Every structure is written in C-alpha cells, then in structure tokens.
Amino acid sequence: MTAPAADLTGWSASPFTGGGYTHDVYRKGSGPGVVLIPELPGIHPGVLALGNHLVDNGFTVAMPSLFGTPGKPVSGAYIASQIARVCVAREFAALATNKQRPVALFLRALARDLNASTPGKGVGVIGQCFTGGFALAAAVDDSVLAPVLSQPSVPFPLTAAHRRDPGLSEVELGVVADRCANDGLCAIGLRFSEDKTAPGERFQTLKKRLGDAFEVIEIDSSPGNPHGFTKMAHSVLTDEVREVDGQPAYEARKRVVEFLTQRLT
C-alpha cells in the first residue's frame, strides 16, 4: 500500500497578495476554512491528496504555492532544487533564529481573507516540513483558531540553538502564548521520534511556552518499531500515511481532522 496521491482536478487558482508578496492560491471545497501550506518541494501529489481529504471532510481549503510547480511529482533532484531556492529566499529566512519571517505576514493576510469568505468561528492553518512552523506564526492573527505544525524544520537544525528555536520570533511566540493562556487557542504538533530535521528540542521549547495548549503527537520511528517506520520517516500527514486503521500516521491525520472540526465549527 502506498501513500495517498492526487492531481489538480477540481482546484481553482488565483493570485493573492498579502504582506508585500503575491502567490497563486489553489482553492477547493466548502465549509470552514483551512490554509494548507505545502511542504517541500511544493504542492505535490501527496499534498493534493491531503487537501482533497480535508475537502471531503467539509472544509474549504486554500493552498498557497510558495515554491515548486503545483502538481509535479516528488524526485530527489526536484527537492534539491527547491531547497537551494528557499535557503536563500528572504521571505523564509530558513537559517535565522528568533526571526519574524516575512512569509508569516502573507499567511496571516490569507487566513483573514479565507476567514471572511467561509463559515465557522475562524480558520485552521496546517504547516508541514519546511513550512511547519509557519502555521504557528500565522496564529498571531486572531482569525487563526487551529494551527497544526507537522514536522516543523525551520530554522534548519544546524546547531543546538537552531534545534531549540520555535520557528518564530520571541515577540510572535509571546502573542501566541498569550492567546493560549487567555483566549483558549490550542495547537497540535506532529513528528516522528527519530526525525532529526524536526528536532524534539523544538517541541520541548513550544511545550514549555504553550503548556497544555500544545498537543504533541510523536510517532515511534525508533529501530524495531512495530509499524516499520524507518529512521528517515518525516512527512506525517502525507508520505507516511497508509489508510489502514491503527497505522499511526493515518491516526494522526484523523486527529488533525477532529481537531479542526472541534475548533472551527
């Protein structure tokens, strides 16, 4: 059995400008809004399958194309080319610690726009891999009620300080922590236990600052784990999903849908 995959059928694209940046945004569905931020190398077939799954569960999904070619399958060369691009892009500040990333301003504007055009109490934001932490940075805006951080890998974990860094600035994290303490904001973080690109230290930082408002789902990928995940397992909601009850990534995807439903409806 392989991971779910899909193509661009049924998705409509139009440019959106916010925070001084313009990106095409792919939209589909009806119901409460969810901003689905793609992982590297872009809106690949696995990300599209996740988007379709959210649509099938009653959400309006908006996927910004921040990098890559929408619909293009994943390959090693494709990933390498996009990593090279995003590493030098000021918009993402992939190597900086304690940094307010310009892309967060774009995502907050997109979240507000989606919230204004969809039913529900607010919107969800799912970030993955390179964009995992961007979901929490988007939650500085009051329109975001359900941030999901799947294997957040920025800043790239080059040093101990990078591994501990939450992926957003101290000012932004302070706003999010205040929302958690006083406004009932909650977030979910997902990672595989042996994933060095989404370090456990980052989740420890977030857990310390956000407390019980930060729900951690850590899937065992240690040697000999019962579900056969390798130590390279990374993409919780896409590449590692097998649609079989009890499979941990599949169960994690179920929990994300449940979380979004609870928070937004």
Side-chain angles (χ1 to χ4, degrees):
M1 182 176 290
T2 59
D7 58 25
L8 289 165
T9 300
W11 293 88
S12 61
S14 60
F16 179 82
T17 300
Y21 292 89
T22 299
H23 295 286
D24 283 344
V25 175
Y26 288 73
R27 299 175 190 259
K28 190 177 186 180
S30 59
V34 177
V35 176
L36 176 58
I37 319 172
E39 60 192 355
L40 284 171
I43 301 176
H44 63 74
V47 173
L48 286 163
L50 176 58
N52 284 344
H53 181 70
L54 294 170
V55 169
D56 290 344
N57 278 273
F59 297 101
T60 301
V61 177
M63 284 190 298
S65 182
L66 302 180
F67 36 74
T69 302
K72 183 175 179 176
V74 176
S75 69
Y78 181 28
I79 292 172
S81 70
Q82 293 308 307
I83 289 176
R85 175 184 173 270
V86 300
C87 277
V88 298
R90 176 183 173 274
E91 185 178 5
F92 306 122
L95 304 180
T97 58
N98 187 24
K99 178 68 174 177
Q100 177 168 299
R101 292 170 169 79
V103 68
L105 302 177
F106 172 84
L107 293 170
R108 289 171 203 156
L110 178 58
R112 288 192 297 271
D113 179 77
L114 184 62
N115 186 43
S117 62
T118 54
K121 298 180 290 185
V123 300
V125 181
I126 300 174
Q128 309 170 84
C129 173
F130 182 78
T131 68
F134 302 171
L136 198 62
V140 168
D141 194 275
D142 289 345
S143 66
V144 178
L145 297 184
V148 177
L149 297 69
S150 193
Q151 73 274 356
S153 60
V154 170
F156 293 147
L158 303 177
T159 68
H162 286 85
R163 291 191 293 272
R164 291 192 302 267
D165 190 272
L168 64 169
S169 70
E170 174 58 34
V171 171
E172 291 171 310
L173 184 55
V175 173
V176 172
D178 182 73
R179 290 194 65 203
C180 289
N182 299 308
D183 299 335
L185 180 70
C186 295
I188 286 183
L190 310 100
R191 67 181 295 271
F192 284 97
S193 65
E194 308 307 301
D195 187 357
K196 304 304 183 187
T197 63
E201 295 95 323
R202 184 161 296 151
F203 276 18
Q204 291 169 11
T205 295
L206 291 169
K207 190 68 175 177
K208 183 177 180 180
R209 293 297 299 274
L210 306 182
D212 291 342
F214 185 54
E215 176 184 342
V216 174
I217 298 175
E218 186 173 86
I219 298 173
D220 181 14
S221 59
S222 63
N225 69 84
H227 292 277
F229 294 113
T230 73
K231 66 179 182 180
M232 301 301 292
H234 176 63
S235 296
V236 177
L237 299 176
T238 56
D239 293 350
E240 299 297 338
V241 169
R242 303 294 182 270
E243 293 181 319
V244 177
D245 286 340
Q247 199 260 3
Y250 183 54
E251 295 300 326
R253 194 183 70 174
K254 287 183 188 177
R255 173 59 190 138
V256 167
V257 171
E258 179 186 51
F259 174 70
L260 294 169
T261 302
Q262 290 170 338
R263 300 294 299 169
L264 305 180
T265 61

